[in-house]
Amino acid sequence: MLMGLGYLAFLQPDQSGHTNNKSLLRNLGGYNGHRWMKDSPFLKKFWSTHRLPNLPPKLRLGLLRQVSSSGNSSNHQENEVKLPFIAERNSPEELVWIKRQAAVVDAFKHAWNGYKQFALGFDELQPVSRRGINGLGGIGATAIDALDTAMIMGLDDVVEEAGGWIEKELANRFSHQGQVNLFETTIRVLGGLLSAYHLSGGDTSVPGIDGSKNGVALSPGPKPEVYLKLAKDLGDRLMAAFETSPSAIPFSDVVLSARSAHPAAGERGASSTSEVTTLQLEFWYLSKVTGDPKYGKAAMRVFEHIKGLPKLEGLVPIYMNPHSGTFQGNNIRLGSRGDSYYEYLLKVWIQQGGVGDGQDVQYLRGMYDEAMAGVKHLLVAKSVPNGLTFVGELPSGRNEDFSPKMDHLVCFLAGNLALGATRGFPEKDAKESGFLSEKDVQDLALAKELARTCYEMYNVTITGLAPEIAYFRTEGDHTEGMDGGKPDAQYKEDIIIKPLDRHNLLRPETVESLFVLYRITGDSMYREWGWKIFQAFEAHTKISTGGYSSIDDVTVANSYKRDKMETFFLGETLKYLFLLFGEDDVLPLSYFVFNTEAHPLPITWEGANSVLS
């Protein structure tokens, strides 16, 4: 195999189109499952039969750069391309996905080039106005959010540009900028820095990307230690949210320069439940790579506290009072302010060794299982007349007050249910190993139903893009004139789109779930759905001078552009589409857990106590 890879390296073109073999040295590691095999009988059996990766992602992409639309990022026609080496090793169907993946790379480059030209150093790009704006604290959030996507795609020039700005400017921003949101800064910036640290070879204590023992980076740009130093600096500043709160629940806002924190201005100072429970993957991994347990202990104390609070069949209200440490209000939903609480119950359990021998985090799996049972009992319903499965809300916390409203954000749940059912392993292997329970089988079936519903939220509109919020018709609902503007849509009678909910923010949740379900089931239907969604983004949100814009109304063909490219379009949406169209041994779900901003962090099999003790 090494001789074959050596040969391939000479075929890989660099940015000028010439071949070189330098990238081979950065990519020979791959993912070696046998180094992760502990005492788990399932893991031993799985890795004894599961194939290892055959081409590192960057090497594979280097061979495909000529596929990438012949230099024209707006033209993604699937014309036949002569690739003798690729063709003889791939079926015609695989060649289609190779070209589609290259189209996503083109889209990322178009988005990045717009940001670089008009907004580098600002948080976000206004692509229509061709300028930058700061809505996340003025810390260059897009550059950080996009960095690991560029690493995964093998885009050396973007890694150098984003990494160079981060190395030169970010520490100064931390020292001089004012208020940031604890949650947004943790998932986008801290998560992005930690992922870049690992993917550039910094953390060699876990398998995944083989890093050099002397810390030489696997990619161009800063050495891994640069990212880690910045992550630690940021983590120290964000710790104020925990240290100044009178309870285990952190304050929501942090002043970076002053290393101080305070409650939110609205909602009587409450913190969102999802926000205070979506810090643990990042802070725990920061403890792991720095050797300082304070970060992980502070973040995990939130879950330990919530474990003892009253719940409605495992479901919790969307606000928490940091002064009393109790829930505030009764509104229960899996959309905004509630979603990632349920996501991180599962993912933190996975990250900290719950699949193996991580007994110290088993309570998280128990809380997750109880919550999913509550979702199925209290929130899952069917639309009429065609029976789409959806997840509603309990605005007053009571079953009789059920609302058939479903945010696009809820579409994360399909992937999360699938991940919880198979623990990230392929469905076929999980079944053959005999560890799928009846509940797991039911959760996976529900995941597939919800994924279809989320796709139909796109497919029902004239643009092929989903609204921010949809309502589902139930018995007795006779709402008229609020469909998606697509006369022949199969589910136009089931999905109601109200005027104030018709915008699209380039969100990732549906393609995230399509990615997870494709990895777990191998069903190419999820890829096809993802391709249609990508084509809709290209047709309706692309700005010719660079970047992509959210739009005002998905139910009309020529919608007004809202003039904003969210950081998560580069950090999440395009990353998940790239991985969906690629090979399943790149960032496998049995090695990595993705934070809620799609930053991959390695799973640690030795368990939580090894880090927090």
Side-chain angles (χ1 to χ4, degrees), residues 153-301:
M153 290 181 173
L155 298 176
D156 289 357
D157 53 344
V158 179
V159 174
E160 289 180 337
E161 291 159 357
W165 182 89
I166 289 168
E167 184 174 25
K168 293 175 183 177
E169 303 290 342
L170 191 55
N172 184 60
R173 297 290 180 95
F174 290 163
S175 298
H176 293 89
Q177 292 304 104
Q179 180 173 302
V180 299
N181 176 268
L182 170 65
F183 161 75
E184 297 289 0
T185 306
T186 296
I187 65 171
R188 302 187 197 215
V189 182
L190 182 59
L193 290 170
L194 290 171
S195 176
Y197 170 70
H198 178 67
L199 293 178
S200 61
D203 181 9
T204 58
S205 66
V206 295
I209 305 290
D210 278 358
S212 170
K213 295 296 183 183
N214 63 13
V216 176
L218 299 180
S219 297
K223 292 184 177 181
E225 290 73 19
V226 171
Y227 301 124
L228 181 58
K229 182 178 179 181
L230 288 166
K232 186 178 185 305
D233 182 14
L234 179 59
D236 287 337
R237 296 173 190 274
L238 295 177
M239 280 293 292
F242 298 94
E243 294 165 347
T244 58
S245 173
S247 76
I249 306 305
F251 289 141
S252 67
D253 296 331
V254 176
V255 180
L256 291 180
S257 58
R259 298 174 185 259
S260 64
H262 56 83
E267 301 296 337
R268 293 178 291 157
S271 298
S272 297
T273 301
S274 63
E275 295 188 356
V276 301
T277 57
T278 311
L279 314 166
Q280 289 69 22
L281 289 177
E282 300 84 357
F283 275 77
W284 190 85
Y285 187 60
L286 182 60
S287 279
K288 183 186 184 307
V289 294
T290 62
D292 189 338
K294 69 178 181 182
Y295 311 106
K297 283 184 174 180
M300 290 303 296
R301 198 173 296 125

Side-chain angles (χ1 to χ4, degrees), residues 328-371:
Q328 182 170 303
N330 298 307
N331 193 336
I332 291 174
R333 65 183 183 223
L334 269 70
S336 61
R337 302 187 183 277
D339 49 357
S340 47
Y341 164 70
Y342 306 95
E343 177 185 1
Y344 269 41
L345 285 177
L346 175 69
K347 289 185 174 180
V348 173
W349 173 76
I350 291 174
Q351 180 198 38
Q352 297 187 23
V355 178
D357 298 323
Q359 296 299 318
D360 39 324
V361 290
Q362 291 305 319
Y363 75 93
L364 294 174
R365 181 72 201 212
M367 291 169 68
Y368 169 79
D369 287 339
E370 181 187 14

Side-chain angles (χ1 to χ4, degrees), residues 82-140:
K82 292 186 177 180
L83 296 169
F85 171 78
I86 298 296
E88 70 181 44
R89 288 164 175 78
N90 293 275
S91 68
E93 181 183 0
E94 288 171 328
L95 287 174
V96 167
W97 292 109
I98 287 171
K99 288 183 279 187
R100 289 178 175 182
Q101 191 182 46
V104 177
V105 175
D106 274 353
F108 178 87
K109 290 191 290 187
H110 184 78
W112 173 259
N113 287 337
Y115 174 75
K116 179 182 70 171
Q117 183 176 358
F118 302 119
L120 184 61
F122 288 88
D123 286 331
E124 293 161 316
L125 168 67
Q126 288 186 299
V128 178
S129 302
R130 287 178 282 182
R131 64 183 181 185
I133 53 171
N134 285 324
L136 295 164
I139 51 179

Side-chain angles (χ1 to χ4, degrees), residues 403-448:
S403 169
K405 168 179 172 283
M406 179 169 157
D407 294 0
H408 185 277
L409 288 166
V410 180
C411 289
F412 87 93
L413 185 60
N416 220 58
L417 282 165
L419 186 65
T422 74
R423 287 69 168 167
F425 295 100
E427 180 182 10
K428 178 177 178 291
D429 295 303
K431 286 181 177 178
E432 290 177 355
S433 299
F435 82 89
L436 280 185
S437 67
E438 182 59 31
K439 175 193 170 298
D440 293 329
V441 173
Q442 293 172 358
D443 283 357
L444 188 54
L446 177 58
K448 295 173 183 179

